[in-house]
Amino acid sequence: ENFIAGAVLPSLLRQDPRFYQSSSGGFLHRTGYAVSRIFVTRTDSGGEQFNYSEIFGSAISAAISTYSYHPHADQTLPNTASVWGTQVGYDTITLVGKEFWPDIRRKISHKPQAEAAKP
């Protein structure tokens, strides 16, 4: 899934698969921003568009894994949809983690923000 959604489709569709941290606004605003990045991404030219790479890349990889690795009895459309939903859910949680990780790391290390920014 990472290869298809993070490299192949973004290259073909001219999308930027990287996550850009918001770090402005409150907890709910930043969480909403991170969740929205599953559905909205930047283009190579800097604009925004539907995140075809993530949504369709996850669907393609779910289909490949379901019909290649699961037992024959589990090779069904509902099971594929379940795998796809799980992948998108995990990716959403990952993006929320990426949004807040710098803040968490700073609090854990007990370094003031000015010190944390020094090389």
Side-chain angles (χ1 to χ4, degrees), residues 19-99:
F19 176 76
Y20 293 92
Q21 182 185 18
S22 170
S23 58
S24 66
F27 176 78
L28 289 178
H29 174 77
R30 291 176 64 189
T31 301
Y33 168 79
V35 170
S36 75
R37 298 297 99 180
I38 285 294
F39 303 103
V40 179
T41 193
R42 292 185 183 192
T43 62
D44 286 348
S45 61
E48 290 187 342
Q49 68 176 207
F50 182 76
N51 197 348
Y52 296 103
S53 301
E54 174 64 34
I55 301 302
F56 293 127
S58 295
I60 291 167
S61 67
I64 290 170
S65 70
T66 300
Y67 290 96
S68 298
Y69 300 110
H70 291 206
H72 186 44
D74 291 340
Q75 294 177 359
T76 63
L77 186 58
N79 191 41
T80 303
S82 175
V83 170
W84 178 40
T86 301
Q87 287 176 329
V88 171
Y90 284 142
D91 289 346
T92 302
I93 292 167
T94 300
L95 293 181
V96 172
K98 286 180 180 181
E99 176 67 27

Side-chain angles (χ1 to χ4, degrees), residues 8-28:
V8 174
L9 288 180
S11 296
L12 293 173
L13 300 172
R14 300 180 191 269
Q15 292 184 330
D16 186 352
R18 296 174 291 178
F19 176 76
Y20 293 92
Q21 182 185 18
S22 170
S23 58
S24 66
F27 176 78
L28 289 178

